[in-house]
Amino acid sequence: MEVLEAIKGRRSVRRFKGEAVPREVILELLEAVRWAPSWANTQCWEVIVVAEPEKKAALAETLTPGNPAKEAMTKAPWVVVFLGQKGKAGFYGGRPLTSKGDWLMFDVALAVQNLCLAAHARGLGTVIVGAFEAERAAEVLGVPDDREVVVMLPLGVPAGQPSAPRRKEVEDFTHWGCWGKG
Ligand SMILES: Cc1cc2nc3c(=O)[nH]c(=O)nc-3n(C[C@H](O)[C@H](O)[C@H](O)COP(=O)(O)O)c2cc1C
């Protein structure tokens, strides 16, 4: 699949078939995480790959009320939980190098998108889940304090192709030369 085709065709999939996805496929997809770019190649991401129904149910309970991805958390055969090691991305000599502080969210996001695109290219669906209580999810998974739970990603065989939510036009977010120039 061509890259732009994959980027445009990827959708947030919230409904999954009951089909299993082999562990080997997950390992293959994690190669896409492995090769994500990161601040000074610090690779601050980690993943916890969850298949146990009780654990997926406990994680689903951490979602914000009314989150449309709740069912996906238990129906998908896998939930890939992305963590970031704090104080690595954007740090030099133990100090943040820029006014933005920790670049953890940025680097983890790049890895997440790699996984979403690789899954899509293989006919699998994902949805990024960010609206949840990260501290509770960390407790469920035994994540230590020096790691941040960033997002959770139900992954499986899609039950249908969702339609694409509207996007801004290029000219709606592009400035040429300086801000405010159309
Ligand atoms: C950081 C982030 C957090 C998100 N959190 C949720 C979420 O908690 N629940 C959900 O159903 N979708 C969530 N989404 C999915 C977005 O709603 C979705 O990407 C957006 O509506 C565009 O649709 P598309 O992914 O199909 O193009 C999240 C996406 C991102 C990037």
Side-chain angles (χ1 to χ4, degrees):
M1 191 183 282
E2 207 245 311
V3 175
L4 197 55
E5 187 191 342
I7 290 170
K8 285 185 168 184
R10 179 215 56 80
R11 288 280 70 74
S12 291
V13 172
R14 298 181 179 86
R15 288 181 53 245
F16 295 94
K17 287 186 181 164
E19 258 174 67
V21 174
R23 188 189 173 94
E24 295 70 46
V25 173
I26 302 299
L27 281 169
E28 218 178 276
L29 296 178
L30 290 175
E31 276 292 309
V33 170
R34 186 173 167 232
W35 286 98
S38 62
W39 184 287
N41 201 26
T42 40
Q43 304 168 60
C44 73
W45 53 75
E46 288 180 342
V47 295
I48 301 178
V49 188
V50 181
E52 296 85 352
E54 316 75 50
K55 214 166 265 176
K56 287 191 292 183
L59 291 174
E61 288 310 312
T62 71
L63 267 57
T64 50
N67 194 315
K70 185 159 183 184
E71 203 183 292
M73 289 289 297
T74 50
K75 290 275 167 65
W78 300 97
V79 175
V80 183
V81 181
F82 276 82
L83 321 176
Q85 289 174 256
K86 298 175 191 170
K88 286 190 91 178
F91 280 70
Y92 188 76
R95 294 209 170 146
L97 205 59
T98 70
S99 60
K100 291 188 182 66
D102 200 327
W103 283 69
L104 173 160
M105 298 291 270
F106 189 93
D107 282 4
V108 171
L110 293 170
V112 170
Q113 174 72 337
N114 270 15
L115 183 54
C116 293
L117 290 175
H120 174 63
R122 248 188 158 278
L124 297 170
T126 56
V127 56
I128 299 169
V129 178
F132 67 103
E133 283 183 59
E135 296 76 13
R136 273 177 68 199
E139 260 175 50
V140 171
L141 299 169
V143 175
D145 287 345
D146 59 354
R147 267 92 167 143
E148 176 93 36
V149 180
V150 180
V151 291
M152 305 195 281
L153 205 76
L155 186 156
V157 178
Q161 167 74 352
S163 55
R166 209 192 142 267
R167 287 327 205 240
K168 291 179 185 175
E169 298 300 330
V170 170
E171 60 264 27
D172 294 335
F173 58 81
T174 306
H175 308 268
W176 295 91
C178 66
W179 191 87
K181 297 270 180 195

